């Protein structure tokens, strides 16, 4: 089955470019990710070779291949999306049947990291702690700015 329609969603110029971006995401988020989440990223990448950075997979296929539950796959996909590592492409159902989802591995954007490093460096002389783990990172930045 040809997946030519995936060409419009390509996120990288080459597989090597995709691999470099996956490595960058892993380096930055390694400790934020569970073993299953890391395995899912590699699974998506391994299915994104013909159209660099994009693939069409069912959660049940990913779950079976990695020997994890489909619930774990859905939860992991949500987290990977929130971290900006992947994007689920909104798709329409064919004949009313829900099929495989299209997933895009997103380019690694270092600017958010350098901004975080700047905040960390600025707070070296004063220890600032976010009030809640559930606060967005922007509120952490604001609370740290007030510490100085």
């Amino acid at each position: 089955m040809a997946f030519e329609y995936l060409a419009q969603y390509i996120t990288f110029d080459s597989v090597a470019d995709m691999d470099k971006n996956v490595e960058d995401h892993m380096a930055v988020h390694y400790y934020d990710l569970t073993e299953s989440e890391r395995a899912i990223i590699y699974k998506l990448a391994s299915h994104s070779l013909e159209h660099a950075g994009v693939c069409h997979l069912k959660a049940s296929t990913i779950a079976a291949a990695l020997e994890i539950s489909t619930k774990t796959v859905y939860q992991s996909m949500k987290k990977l999306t929130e971290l900006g590592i992947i994007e689920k492409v909104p798709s329409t159902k064919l004949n009313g049947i829900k099929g495989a989802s299209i997933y895009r591995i997103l380019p690694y954007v270092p600017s958010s990291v350098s901004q975080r490093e700047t905040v960390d460096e600025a707070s070296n002389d004063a220890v600032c702690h976010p009030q809640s783990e559930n606060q967005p990172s922007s509120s952490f930045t604001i609370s740290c700015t007030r510490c100085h």
Side-chain angles (χ1 to χ4, degrees):
M1 182 175 185
F3 292 107
E4 287 307 311
Y5 60 91
L6 292 177
Q8 65 186 311
Y9 301 112
I10 289 175
T11 49
F12 301 105
D13 294 331
S14 66
V15 171
D17 188 26
M18 175 187 69
D19 288 347
K20 169 76 172 92
N21 280 268
V22 167
E23 284 177 29
D24 290 343
H25 279 301
M26 287 299 200
V28 171
H29 296 292
Y30 188 85
Y31 294 106
D32 300 327
L33 301 173
T34 65
E35 187 178 331
S36 294
E37 291 160 351
R38 289 190 293 268
I40 288 170
I41 294 169
Y42 289 128
K43 183 70 176 168
L44 293 177
S46 73
H47 282 267
S48 300
L49 303 177
E50 189 174 337
H51 301 287
V54 62
C55 64
H56 196 173
L57 282 172
K58 286 185 176 182
S60 58
T61 303
I62 296 168
L66 300 178
E67 298 180 351
I68 57 177
S69 71
T70 52
K71 182 178 179 180
T72 297
V73 173
Y74 288 125
Q75 289 170 337
S76 297
M77 293 302 194
K78 182 176 186 284
K79 183 174 174 185
L80 295 172
T81 301
E82 289 168 356
L83 288 172
I85 298 172
I86 66 164
E87 171 187 65
K88 183 177 176 182
V89 176
S91 57
T92 55
K93 297 177 183 176
L94 299 174
N95 301 327
I97 300 169
K98 187 172 181 175
S101 296
I102 298 171
Y103 293 103
R104 296 173 72 207
I105 298 171
L106 299 175
Y108 170 71
V109 181
S111 61
S112 61
V113 174
S114 57
Q115 187 176 26
R116 187 178 306 144
E117 286 172 355
T118 303
V119 171
D120 289 344
E121 288 168 9
S123 64
N124 278 345
D125 54 340
V127 178
C128 297
H129 300 284
Q131 293 174 338
S132 166
E133 289 182 331
N134 295 330
Q135 285 183 320
S137 59
S138 60
S139 63
F140 174 72
T141 305
I142 292 166
S143 67
C144 268
T145 307
R146 281 190 231 128
C147 291
H148 302 293

